[in-house]
């Protein structure tokens, strides 16, 4: 089943949280003069047009990146991500939004590599087009990212950041995330891994997080952002979360500033909140 198209959601509150933290993680990795791989198991199309097509339909970006666009008081780490999006929109109008591969790629150094997986027959060629300028720095695979990750670990430079960002269209995605990470840690225990997940009124996301906390890893960080009260009919996504294995130690301190900022900036009602917890290594 491949009905999910990320373009409908491009630039929304969940993308803001995920892409800002992704940009930050890469900046932390860049502090060390040693190459690494950026692995994206569910890469999407790479770049999205906000003012036309799917993204314009529900205009979810108006509750996300648009709310940060003109802010003059952004904390430094958020400002860096917003500046990157603005740099893609040279005339100042909000037209293009980067997917995770294009959040990562401009921050990578010449010696760092991208390994991207995407299964969708329409989004894969778009990803190829949007990453063309990366040339040999990026290797794109039209295939299953869960299985593909196995084949890459451990990465040649023995340093990597992996984003696991499935659509969760199918319930089994939650268990596949846990199984993939359990296997990944046996192959490469010191990698940084980030999982994105939706906040829903269903048990699967909560159970997945409980299982992720049991993985044999030195440290983890869990951050989530709720933008509105859960709906009374029990449906819909009221926020999103990130679970990071082997996080850089300064990230927790950074999120103590940026999460309350995002809660206030992206709140749709008084139910907006955030959660931040970690097990330090
Ligand atoms: N990471 C992207 C970003 O932040 O810009 C968004 C990814 S979107 C949430 C999930 C993507 O995974 C969709 O483009 C979907 O087509 C793709 N997909 C679904 N199942 C997959 C699988 N098993 N392996 C690789 N890609 C898959």
């Amino acid at each position: 089943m491949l009905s999910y198209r990320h373009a409908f959601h491009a630039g929304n509150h969940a993308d803001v949280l995920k892409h800002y933290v992704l940009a930050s993680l890469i900046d932390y990795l860049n502090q060390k003069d040693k190459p690494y791989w950026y692995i994206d198991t569910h890469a999407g199309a790479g770049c999205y047009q906000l003012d036309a097509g799917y993204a314009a339909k529900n205009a979810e970006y108006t509750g996300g990146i648009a709310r940060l666009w003109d802010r003059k008081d952004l904390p430094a780490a958020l400002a860096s991500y917003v500046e990157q999006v603005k740099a893609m929109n040279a005339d100042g109008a909000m037209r293009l939004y980067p997917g995770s591969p294009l959040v990562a790629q401009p921050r990578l150094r010449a010696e760092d590599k991208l390994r991207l997986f995407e299964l969708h027959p329409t989004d894969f060629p778009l990803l190829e087009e949007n990453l063309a300028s990366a040339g040999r720095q990026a290797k794109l695979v039209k295939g299953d990212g869960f299985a593909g990750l196995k084949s890459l670990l451990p990465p040649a430079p023995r340093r990597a950041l992996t984003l696991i960002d499935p659509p969760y269209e199918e319930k089994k995605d939650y268990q596949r995330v846990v199984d993939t990470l359990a296997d990944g840690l046996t192959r490469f225990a010191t990698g940084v891994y980030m999982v994105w997940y939706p906040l829903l009124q269903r048990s699967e996301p909560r159970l997945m997080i409980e299982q992720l906390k049991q993985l044999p890893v030195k440290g983890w960080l869990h951050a989530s952002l709720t933008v509105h009260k859960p709906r009374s009919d029990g449906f819909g996504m009221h926020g999103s979360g990130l679970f990071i294995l082997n996080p850089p130690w300064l990230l927790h301190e950074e999120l103590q500033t940026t999460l309350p900022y995002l809660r206030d900036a992206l709140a749709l009602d008084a139910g907006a909140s955030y959660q931040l917890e970690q097990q330090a290594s």
Side-chain angles (χ1 to χ4, degrees):
M1 189 168 66
L2 276 175
S3 53
Y4 180 93
R5 304 297 304 280
H6 193 68
F8 282 109
H9 312 291
N12 70 1
H13 60 86
D15 263 7
V16 167
L17 175 66
K18 170 180 59 183
H19 292 154
Y20 137 62
V21 175
L22 174 60
S24 254
L25 286 174
I26 290 174
D27 290 351
Y28 285 118
L29 283 172
N30 287 346
Q31 288 176 5
K32 201 165 166 184
D33 186 21
K34 204 170 169 278
Y36 60 87
W37 285 5
Y38 169 67
I39 305 171
D40 202 326
T41 59
H42 297 71
C47 187
Y48 303 93
Q49 200 175 342
L50 295 177
D51 58 351
Y54 291 154
K57 260 197 160 113
N58 299 330
E60 291 189 20
Y61 68 93
T62 56
I65 186 67
R67 286 178 167 229
L68 304 182
W69 200 256
D70 293 319
R71 296 287 296 246
K72 304 281 181 266
D73 59 348
L74 292 163
L78 271 170
S80 165
Y81 148 74
V82 174
E83 279 313 310
Q84 182 179 358
V85 184
K86 283 190 169 176
M88 294 176 72
N89 293 277
D91 66 359
M94 217 179 314
R95 295 187 217 281
L96 291 177
Y97 183 79
S100 48
L102 275 193
V103 171
Q105 195 268 336
R107 290 175 186 264
L108 263 49
R109 303 154 306 178
E111 63 275 26
D112 305 322
K113 307 272 184 237
L114 298 103
R115 297 289 182 263
L116 312 173
F117 296 89
E118 172 55 47
L119 206 49
H120 199 286
T122 309
D123 280 347
F124 185 75
L126 293 173
L127 181 65
E128 288 185 303
E129 205 177 298
N130 287 321
L131 268 291
S133 64
R136 291 162 66 91
Q137 188 183 30
K139 195 167 161 199
L140 282 54
V141 178
K142 185 173 181 301
D144 175 21
F146 289 120
L149 180 60
K150 276 191 183 189
S151 65
L152 293 184
L153 301 180
R158 295 297 195 273
R159 279 187 96 204
L161 163 62
T162 300
L163 171 64
I164 303 183
D165 182 21
Y168 300 100
E169 276 183 299
E170 300 178 283
K171 273 190 191 173
K172 69 174 189 211
D173 273 355
Y174 293 97
Q175 192 57 47
R176 289 191 84 189
V177 168
V178 176
D179 295 344
T180 299
L181 281 170
D183 175 82
L185 287 170
T186 64
R187 296 167 194 271
F188 182 46
T190 56
V192 181
Y193 301 86
M194 177 161 86
V195 175
W196 178 90
Y197 73 94
L199 288 179
L200 307 171
Q201 296 180 74
R202 285 167 40 170
S203 58
E204 290 89 357
R206 205 172 49 248
L207 290 174
M208 180 181 79
I209 295 303
E210 280 170 23
Q211 290 187 75
L212 292 178
K213 287 178 179 175
Q214 302 308 317
L215 289 173
V217 71
K218 276 192 178 156
W220 52 256
L221 182 152
H222 177 214
S224 67
L225 180 68
T226 296
V227 295
H228 62 77
K229 288 180 196 140
R231 275 169 39 178
S232 55
D233 62 7
F235 290 109
M237 178 174 102
H238 50 274
S240 67
L242 301 170
F243 194 90
I244 303 168
L245 303 178
N246 297 321
W249 67 280
L250 282 173
L251 183 62
H252 185 266
E253 189 181 314
E254 176 184 313
L255 286 165
Q256 284 177 324
T257 303
T258 51
L259 281 176
Y261 184 95
L262 287 175
R263 175 202 54 202
D264 296 343
L266 305 182
L268 292 177
D269 65 26
S273 65
Y274 72 90
Q275 190 193 1
L276 178 62
E277 52 178 349
Q278 72 168 341
Q279 178 185 287
S281 48

